């Protein structure tokens, strides 16, 4: 295995859960999550030689993952396709109260615009506003303002 392939493999192993978390935030469909994941891997591989180390690797991975998912989400809206429906639940969900609350939060977050969804995801990962701003490409002040507006938007959403 070449050194670049070994390095790529190491990076993916270390950040796999981060990438899947971002993918899941942008889709409820397991196949689409896997497609997003594969697309992100391609983008990471293509950009790896250009990574200059000005930010830490995790920040760079988040940025690529979020940008890939946001681009895919925008493209999906333009395509205006109707997904096939299956009568089975592809995600393992139990009926306990905690999972119901998580599912409700996920439904509300999925109604947000892709850019706002990305900000919420990073906030849920307990990232400081400064790092969120670096990943998203906006100022810390702008993150603060957007988070306030997003919280209000989530509070005012209907349950269903």
């Amino acid at each position: 295995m070449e050194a670049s392939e070994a390095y790529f493999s190491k990076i993916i192993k270390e950040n796999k859960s981060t990438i899947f978390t971002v993918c899941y935030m942008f889709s409820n469909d397991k196949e689409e999550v896997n497609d997003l994941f594969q697309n992100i891997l391609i983008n990471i591989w293509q950009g790896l030689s250009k990574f200059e180390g000005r930010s830490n690797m995790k920040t760079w991975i988040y940025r690529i993952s979020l940008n890939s998912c946001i681009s895919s989400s925008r493209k999906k809206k333009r395509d205006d396709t109707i997904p096939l429906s299956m009568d089975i639940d592809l995600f393992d969900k139990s009926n306990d109260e905690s999972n119901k609350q998580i599912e409700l939060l996920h439904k509300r977050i999925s109604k947000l615009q892709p850019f706002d969804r990305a900000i919420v995801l990073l906030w849920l990962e307990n990232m400081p506003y400064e790092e969120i701003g670096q990943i998203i490409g906006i100022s810390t002040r702008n993150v603060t303002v957007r988070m306030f507006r997003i919280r209000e938007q989530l509070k005012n959403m209907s349950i269903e």
Side-chain angles (χ1 to χ4, degrees), residues 113-149:
Q113 293 297 314
F115 194 76
D116 291 341
R117 244 185 284 164
I119 292 171
V120 169
L121 169 66
L122 297 172
W123 179 78
L124 289 171
E125 292 285 325
N126 293 320
M127 288 194 176
Y129 284 8
E130 183 177 328
E131 192 172 352
I132 293 172
Q134 289 173 352
I135 292 169
I136 300 293
I138 60 177
S139 70
T140 304
R141 174 76 178 129
N142 200 341
V143 173
T144 305
V145 170
R146 288 188 83 103
M147 276 303 301
F148 176 80
R149 291 179 181 160

Side-chain angles (χ1 to χ4, degrees), residues 42-120:
I42 292 167
N43 291 336
I44 291 171
W45 175 255
Q46 291 174 339
L48 195 56
S49 63
K50 299 171 193 148
F51 178 66
E52 298 173 353
R54 289 186 285 186
S55 63
N56 70 37
M57 182 59 70
K58 189 168 186 152
T59 299
W60 186 72
I61 296 288
Y62 261 118
R63 188 168 197 138
I64 288 176
S65 300
L66 289 168
N67 286 338
S68 298
C69 289
I70 289 169
S71 294
S72 177
S73 179
R74 287 179 180 155
K75 183 179 182 235
K76 189 171 134 184
K77 281 185 179 178
R78 281 192 306 251
D79 291 345
D80 200 38
T81 59
I82 299 172
L84 294 176
S85 171
M86 297 172 52
D87 291 337
I88 58 172
D89 188 3
L90 298 176
F91 293 96
D92 181 27
K93 297 177 184 172
S94 61
N95 290 328
D96 69 358
E97 190 61 33
S98 175
N99 282 347
K100 287 180 184 177
Q101 289 295 323
I102 291 170
E103 188 176 334
L104 178 62
L105 179 61
H106 188 268
K107 282 181 182 179
R108 286 183 179 194
I109 291 171
S110 69
K111 291 180 182 179
L112 295 172
Q113 293 297 314
F115 194 76
D116 291 341
R117 244 185 284 164
I119 292 171
V120 169

Side-chain angles (χ1 to χ4, degrees), residues 6-17:
Y7 182 57
F8 174 76
S9 181
K10 177 182 178 276
I11 290 168
I12 298 308
K13 284 179 186 172
E14 291 172 356
N15 294 284
K16 185 177 181 178
S17 66

